[in-house]
Structure formats: C-alpha cells, structure tokens
C-alpha cells in the first residue's frame, strides 16, 4: 500500500480496526488485485483524473482504464457516463505513485446523480461515496423552498441531507421576522427529520453549527445554485481563501460559476468536502422516490375516502381538506405532483434505455453464437 490506513481515513476511507475497509465488496476486489493500492479521485477533468492518498493536498495524475477513455455509449466497449469514476470515487491503482494505472473502480457506497440536460436520457454523476449532502440556499432572492425540495429529491439514497441556509446576516438585516419565517417555510422538512441550519458563511463561529457532520473520515458534498455561498462556506471551514468567490446579481441574487469543476478538499476537522459548480437544471433520473421527501402528503393521501383519489374534486379527499384548512401548503402539494410526474417520465425513459441496451447486447452476441453453432460441433 502506498499510504497508511490512517492517512487514507483522513480522506474518507471507511476503516476497520484491522486496517481493511468496512465494505466487503472492496475487500474482495483488493484480494483480486494484491499489488494495487487504494486512492481517491479528488478531481475529474476531460483529460483524466487526479487522485490523492492522504490529506496533504498533494494530487497525482493517474492513467484510467481504456474503456473510460472511449466515447460513452459506443456499442463496443462503451461505458455509460454514470458508470465512469467521479469525484469521491475510490480506485485501486497499480504501479508507482507518479505513473500509476487504475486497475479497478471500487463499488460506490452512495451516489448523487441527476438527469443530464438534453433530449436523450443520460445520467450525470455529481459525487460518489458521500455521507452527507449540504443543500445550500441563500437567504436572499435565491431562497426557494420548492427548489430545495427538488434538491432533496435528487440527493436521497444513502447520504444524509442537511439544508444549509446561508446569508443569515442579510436576512436579519431585513427584519426580525425574516430568519424565523424562512425556517418556518421548511417546517415540513424538519418534521421529517431533515436538519435545517442557518449560518453566515463568512463567520467561523456561525458555521460551527455544521460540525456534527464534519467529523474525521466523513465526506460532505455541497450542492446549490451559483451565488448561494458554497465556495464562501468552504473557505471559512478551511480557514483560508482557497476557493474563488464572486458577487451576485442584485436583480435575482444569482452568481457566476466561480467553481468550474468538482473537487474534493480535506478540511481541518478531518472531514472531506466536495464543492460543486452551481446547478441550474435539476432533472430527476427516474430512480428517485418522491414519497421519501413528502411523507406528510403521502400520509394525508392514505386518509382519502377513495384509494384512487386524484385529489381534485373527489368527496372525502383528505389532501384538499388539508389545503383548505391551511395545514398543507398548496404550493408544496403542487410541487409534489410536478416532481412525481417528472420522476415517472424519467423512469419510463430509463426503462426504454435499459431495454435498448439489452437488445444491443443480444444482437452483438448473436453473430458469435451463430459461429459457435456452426463450427462448435464437428
């Protein structure tokens, strides 16, 4: 091994007392490649990957597998984009540190994905092997509970979501009710166990509220709009001005893309943080579970008189009754419906893609099978 278990743990390696990773599938792959050593992908570029083996900040280029260098979705040896390594992935590397070659990609414990932009169905991997997702939203014109709900839909699946409301100082300057009002707008999320924290991203004392999720060996990814304060938050947690930051537009509080690529950064607390560029389009992949973030709506729907209630004009509809009584936000219910429709549409496109992939594999094997049938027996 090029690095010690303790050094690897400082960049998120899930360590057991015997020095082996706690993931059994990782142990099996390590046994298959006894000469290889583990490293974590900390940057992803078009030309390749940068890896790290400790928290020193030093990174090294690595030669990727041949199939990762081919265009995606080619019929011969192609690999879908989401199956290629991303920031946060762990790989096994063979050779010297300065000239290593990837031998295997270790299975992901968690993955944060979204549907890629464009007409054709594709998935985009945002980050891998993260423990916590900080959904960052500014308490200015960027504040939008519906967009936060959309982020939470995409980041579920093994990682714990935490809503981080930045620019608390700006909210307090607007009036005494601004900050409590924003938190109250997310009360349904908090009721379902999603932590909500308000911070001034420029003050170390304020961001200390996030320490419970920043312990040694933990990995956190930041997601949110440009200008929400992700890079400012990262700089404060680091204690240095490492990430480039920029001003936001006064008209809509949107910022420029000061973060241009994803990067994994060790923090002084012993955790790792993955900063990401702002995401303007948040399309579901079709693998999400809408009910996971809308437990309140699902509970009301279960109380409707009719099992197939459409929640429109049916008698005995508990959902409409709650909206009329003011106990369920009408916009939250509308977003529940909208996201449900989007997930269902994406699920259909995903099923179609999988069927087409299966057909391609069957067709590619057919000529070989015919030759085997022809010449296999004499």
């Amino acid at each position: 091994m090029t690095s010690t278990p303790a050094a690897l743990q400082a960049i998120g390696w899930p360590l057991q007392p015997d020095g082996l990773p706690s993931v059994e599938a990782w142990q099996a792959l390590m046994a298959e490649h006894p000469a290889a050593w583990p490293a974590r992908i900390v940057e992803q570029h078009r030309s390749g990957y940068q890896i790290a083996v400790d928290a020193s900040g030093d990174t090294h280029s690595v030669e990727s597998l041949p199939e990762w260098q081919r265009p995606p979705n080619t019929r011969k040896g192609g690999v879908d984009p989401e199956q290629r390594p991303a920031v946060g992935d762990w790989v096994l590397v063979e050779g010297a540190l300065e000239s290593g070659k990837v031998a295997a990609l270790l299975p992901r414990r968690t993955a944060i994905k979204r549907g890629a932009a464009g007409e054709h169905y594709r998935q985009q991997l945002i980050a891998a092997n993260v423990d916590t997702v900080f959904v960052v939203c500014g308490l200015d014109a960027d504040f939008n509970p519906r967009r936060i709900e959309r982020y939470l839909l995409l980041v579920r699946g093994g990682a714990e979501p935490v809503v981080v409301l930045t620019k608390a100082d700006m909210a307090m300057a607007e009036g005494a009710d601004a900050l409590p009002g924003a938190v109250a707008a997310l009360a349904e999320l908090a009721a379902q166990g999603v932590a909500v924290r308000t911070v001034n991203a420029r003050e170390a004392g304020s961001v200390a509220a996030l320490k419970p999720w920043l312990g040694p060996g933990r990995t956190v990814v930041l997601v949110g709009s440009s200008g929400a304060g992700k890079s400012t938050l990262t700089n404060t947690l680091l204690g240095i001005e490492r990430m480039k930051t920029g001003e936001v537009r006064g008209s809509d509080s949107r910022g420029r893309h000061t973060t241009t690529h994803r990067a994994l950064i060790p923090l002084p607390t012993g955790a790792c943080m993955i900063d990401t560029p702002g995401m303007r389009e948040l399309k579901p992949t079709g693998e999400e579970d809408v009910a996971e973030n809308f437990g309140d709506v699902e509970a009301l729907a279960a109380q409707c008189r009719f099992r197939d209630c459409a929640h429109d004009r049916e008698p005995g509809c508990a959902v409409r009754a709650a909206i009329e009584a003011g106990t369920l936000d009408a916009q939250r219910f509308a977003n529940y419906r909208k996201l449900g429709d989007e997930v269902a549409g994406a699920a259909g496109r995903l099923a179609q893609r999988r069927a087409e992939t299966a057909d391609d594999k069957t067709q590619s094997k057919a000529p070989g099978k015919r030759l085997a049938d022809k010449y296999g027996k004499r």
Side-chain angles (χ1 to χ4, degrees), residues 35-75:
W37 38 272
R40 197 167 197 188
I41 293 178
V42 296
E43 291 186 27
Q44 178 184 359
H45 304 282
R46 290 184 179 180
S47 57
Y49 303 94
Q50 293 290 116
I51 60 169
V53 294
D54 55 37
S56 66
D58 294 335
T59 65
H60 307 272
S61 299
V62 64
E63 182 178 335
S64 61
L65 292 172
E67 54 264 35
W68 297 343
Q69 300 172 17
R70 301 190 187 108
N73 294 326
T74 54
R75 291 194 175 186

Side-chain angles (χ1 to χ4, degrees), residues 258-304:
T258 53
T259 299
T260 57
H261 64 278
R262 299 172 186 86
L264 185 145
I265 306 165
L267 298 177
T269 62
C272 293
M273 180 164 285
I274 301 176
D275 194 9
T276 66
M279 292 183 279
R280 290 192 176 97
E281 190 170 9
L282 297 169
K283 295 172 59 178
T285 65
E287 299 173 331
E288 298 82 7
D289 181 3
V290 178
E292 193 172 15
N293 290 299
F294 290 88
D296 54 330
V297 180
E298 291 282 321
L300 286 169
Q303 300 173 27
C304 291

Side-chain angles (χ1 to χ4, degrees), residues 305-335:
R305 182 184 300 176
F306 302 108
R307 184 173 300 178
D308 59 347
C309 182
H311 316 304
D312 288 323
R313 295 184 176 86
E314 294 87 349
C317 176
V319 173
R320 303 307 308 180
I323 293 175
E324 293 169 4
T327 56
L328 175 63
D329 189 328
Q331 293 182 346
R332 176 168 168 80
F333 175 64
N335 203 34

Side-chain angles (χ1 to χ4, degrees), residues 110 146 173 205 294 375:
T110 60
R146 307 290 81 82
F294 290 88
Y375 298 108

Side-chain angles (χ1 to χ4, degrees), residues 175-231:
D177 297 334
L179 196 59
V183 175
L186 303 177
E188 286 297 343
L189 300 180
Q192 295 179 68
V194 177
V196 178
R197 297 292 183 270
T198 59
V199 302
N200 178 353
R202 299 182 184 277
E203 294 185 356
S206 180
V207 302
L210 305 178
K211 282 187 176 180
W213 297 278
L214 297 173
R218 307 285 292 178
T219 300
V220 176
V221 62
L222 301 176
V223 298
S225 305
S226 297
K230 301 187 301 296
S231 295

